[in-house]
Amino acid sequence: MDLTPPRGTQDFLPPASDRLLALYDAAHRAATSFGYRYVETPTFESTDLFGRSSGQTSDVVSKEMYTFEDRGGRSVTLRPEGTAPVVRAYLAKAHDLPAPFKAYYLETLFRYGRPQKGRLREFRTFGIEVIGTAEPSADVEVIEVGNLLLSLLGRHQAVLQDVELQLNTMGDEECRPAYRELLIAYLEEHRDRLRDEHRDRFRENPLRVLDCKDDACREVSKGAPLIVDHLCDPCAGHFTAVREGLDDAGIGYTLTPTLVRGLDYYTRTAFEFVSPALGPSQGTVIGGGRYDGLAEVLGGPSTPGVGFGSGVERLLLALGPEWDWRIALAVGGRHPGVWFFVVAVGEEAIPYARRVARELRGHRGAYSVEQSFAPRPLKAQLRMAGRAGAKYVVLVGEREQREGTVTMKRLADGVEVPDVTPAGAIEWIHAEYQRHRAELGTEAREHEDGDG
């Protein structure tokens, strides 16, 4: 018997498995520090799900899916991507879930193709999704989670420092049709310069030409009309808000007009974190954007969404052999659950509240922090804090903004501590955490004594 794994798959044994575990740990910390909840969906789904989400004429559906008929005569497919199953699961249970719904997953995906470095037939992905809000601040937060992941993985050594955030907008159903016609007209003029696949099919989906990694198509794309020049006012405003949010978060980016997604349900924000260490065709280590039309494609009501996916194996390649996974694991060990819910009292306090939330998360994502995406009344935010299971509310109003402080409130007993600096809040919460751990330790010892 041949003991090697099937072609396009790999075994993870120590020390490779230790590196994988450290990356998983960093992914869990990055997501949960923003209040995302872990989800799992089935390894296989109805084939129709991916036919709808990926497009019947796409390479994924026509060439890459592992599809088979089960013993009941049903066509099922091993999942080739992570977003559609999560949206399906959300639509099935929407009445029982919070809105917006913030989810993350670490799972295995399957695509048939020629195995190569960074692209296997069985591969792992870390993904996050925010379902149920169209606010541009959700787009910014999704990018912040990706940025935090890269920071957790590469902060301690000189790795991932050259990763570039590329950003674009794709408009929406209001402004994109007119742009699509302009692009088709341009591609008609340059049809003979396109690679064979796009030369015959670009009219079906012209945006895919812009995303093509072939050198010939890249040359044609350089002169194509830019969608950013043809946005409607709402899309232009959304893109401006996203860029301002990234500026406020201190996250640099490069505007990349050719960065697109090939399906109609993708709207507005599109982004990628790209590592030059992996080459132009394999350099994306995190890719995501907004997919406000996906829920309707799957037969559900109009439900906006935004998220990203990150290939785990490709991240490991970008980290390289010099990455010390032991250091990455050593910075872990934080307590699960939502610790802080930052409440802005009045719209004027929102920018300061967001800065406070970032400072509370800290450079290692030590404690999870949540806040409302959109302006809401005080009582509504307090209800959100309770539903999120937050242990502490951080109140930020006009006085706190003026004095550079916050007011801490412990939800368990209502105790308030006013005039605390964000740094002081971390010290205070750390003392509370140590006290909590000591209490848990005492309870554990008492339980052991009771069991005799």
Side-chain angles (χ1 to χ4, degrees):
M1 175 180 175
D2 184 1
L3 298 180
T4 58
R7 187 165 186 256
T9 68
Q10 62 180 324
D11 295 317
F12 278 94
L13 303 173
S17 58
D18 294 322
R19 291 164 56 85
L20 184 68
L21 179 62
L23 196 153
Y24 281 175
D25 183 71
H28 283 295
R29 281 185 283 132
T32 56
S33 69
F34 282 80
Y36 288 73
R37 304 289 295 277
Y38 181 69
V39 300
E40 287 192 9
T41 58
T43 302
F44 59 88
E45 299 266 4
S46 168
T47 301
D48 182 52
L49 174 68
F50 302 115
R52 288 169 176 255
S53 64
S54 297
Q56 293 290 353
T57 62
S58 68
D59 285 348
V60 173
V61 173
S62 62
K63 300 177 182 179
E64 299 177 0
M65 294 201 317
Y66 280 89
T67 298
F68 56 95
E69 188 175 286
D70 69 9
R71 296 193 179 198
R74 294 169 289 261
S75 179
V76 295
T77 296
L78 299 180
R79 60 184 174 218
E81 54 100 355
T83 298
V86 173
V87 174
R88 175 202 56 74
Y90 170 80
L91 293 173
K93 298 286 187 180
H95 293 299
D96 302 322
L97 297 170
F101 180 56
K102 297 167 58 174
Y104 81 98
Y105 48 87
L106 281 158
E107 61 190 18
T108 305
L109 305 181
F110 306 86
R111 290 192 183 187
Y112 188 87
R114 184 173 63 85
Q116 53 188 291
K117 192 174 183 180
R119 182 176 291 175
L120 299 175
R121 291 175 175 173
E122 179 191 55
F123 57 100
R124 292 147 189 83
T125 188
F126 164 53
I128 71 167
E129 316 291 350
V130 181
I131 305 172
T133 179
E135 293 290 333
S137 56
D139 305 28
V140 175
E141 181 177 283
V142 165
I143 294 173
E144 284 193 83
V145 176
N147 190 66
L148 176 58
L149 171 66
L150 298 178
S151 179
L152 289 168
L153 293 173
R155 158 169 294 119
H156 313 289
Q157 298 105 342
V159 294
L160 298 181
Q161 292 182 354
D162 294 329
V163 171
E164 175 186 58
L165 171 61
Q166 299 181 355
L167 182 71
N168 194 27
T169 181
M170 297 176 55
D172 63 10
E173 68 278 359
E174 295 298 322
C175 54
R176 195 160 59 205
Y179 168 74
R180 187 178 183 276
E181 294 306 314
L182 283 174
L183 181 58
I184 290 176
Y186 171 82
L187 295 175
E188 289 278 9
E189 296 177 8
H190 300 274
R191 178 178 179 274
D192 292 340
R193 297 170 56 194
L194 298 174
R195 61 174 294 186
D196 292 343
E197 176 186 351
H198 292 302
R199 187 180 302 141
D200 299 327
R201 294 172 53 186
F202 71 84
R203 295 174 192 85
E204 300 171 14
N205 201 325
L207 290 177
R208 284 184 176 161
V209 178
L210 302 181
D211 196 40
C212 180
K213 301 300 189 273
D214 182 82
D215 289 339
C217 291
R218 283 173 175 263
E219 283 300 314
V220 173
S221 297
K222 289 179 181 179
L226 307 180
I227 193 168
V228 72
D229 297 330
H230 300 276
L231 298 175
C232 59
D233 289 342
C235 286
H238 187 99
F239 196 42
T240 296
V242 170
R243 286 179 289 170
E244 290 176 346
L246 292 175
D247 291 339
D248 189 50
I251 299 176
Y253 57 88
T254 300
L255 293 178
T256 309
T258 57
L259 175 58
V260 296
R261 301 288 181 257
L263 297 170
D264 289 341
Y265 63 74
Y266 287 108
T267 59
R268 297 184 172 176
T269 307
F271 68 90
E272 291 182 354
F273 287 90
V274 179
S275 169
L278 300 179
S281 64
Q282 301 287 329
T284 300
V285 292
I286 297 175
R290 183 159 282 282
Y291 48 85
D292 290 349
L294 177 56
E296 289 182 278
V297 168
L298 300 185
S302 177
T303 309
V306 61
F308 73 64
S310 177
V312 170
E313 288 89 348
R314 199 172 290 183
L315 263 178
L316 289 172
L317 284 174
L319 286 164
E322 70 273 18
W323 180 50
D324 191 341
W325 56 269
R326 296 174 183 83
I327 297 177
L329 278 179
V331 300
R334 67 175 195 82
H335 196 282
V338 176
W339 281 76
F340 295 112
F341 197 101
V342 180
V343 171
V345 184
E347 291 192 27
E348 298 78 11
I350 290 177
Y352 177 61
R354 287 178 178 154
R355 290 196 294 272
V356 167
R358 292 182 184 117
E359 188 167 350
L360 291 176
R361 289 186 182 108
H363 70 285
R364 301 191 195 282
Y367 298 100
S368 61
V369 183
E370 277 208 64
Q371 59 188 143
S372 175
F373 285 117
R376 293 183 182 275
L378 173 61
K379 288 186 178 179
Q381 292 182 75
L382 292 175
R383 285 196 298 271
M384 290 178 69
R387 289 171 182 165
K391 296 176 176 61
Y392 305 94
V393 163
V394 182
L395 294 163
V396 175
E398 182 179 345
R399 178 179 61 82
E400 286 86 357
Q401 183 175 8
R402 185 174 60 253
E403 297 175 359
T405 62
V406 301
T407 296
M408 300 289 299
K409 181 176 182 178
R410 189 165 57 208
L411 289 181
D413 54 13
V415 169
E416 288 193 8
V417 181
D419 304 323
V420 181
T421 66
I426 286 290
E427 294 177 4
W428 187 74
I429 201 72
H430 185 66
E432 289 278 295
Y433 175 47
Q434 295 302 326
R435 178 183 61 80
H436 181 62
R437 286 190 63 185
E439 290 175 352
L440 289 177
T442 301
E443 291 177 6
R445 286 192 296 273
E446 289 175 351
H447 179 73
E448 290 173 0
D449 292 342
D451 286 345

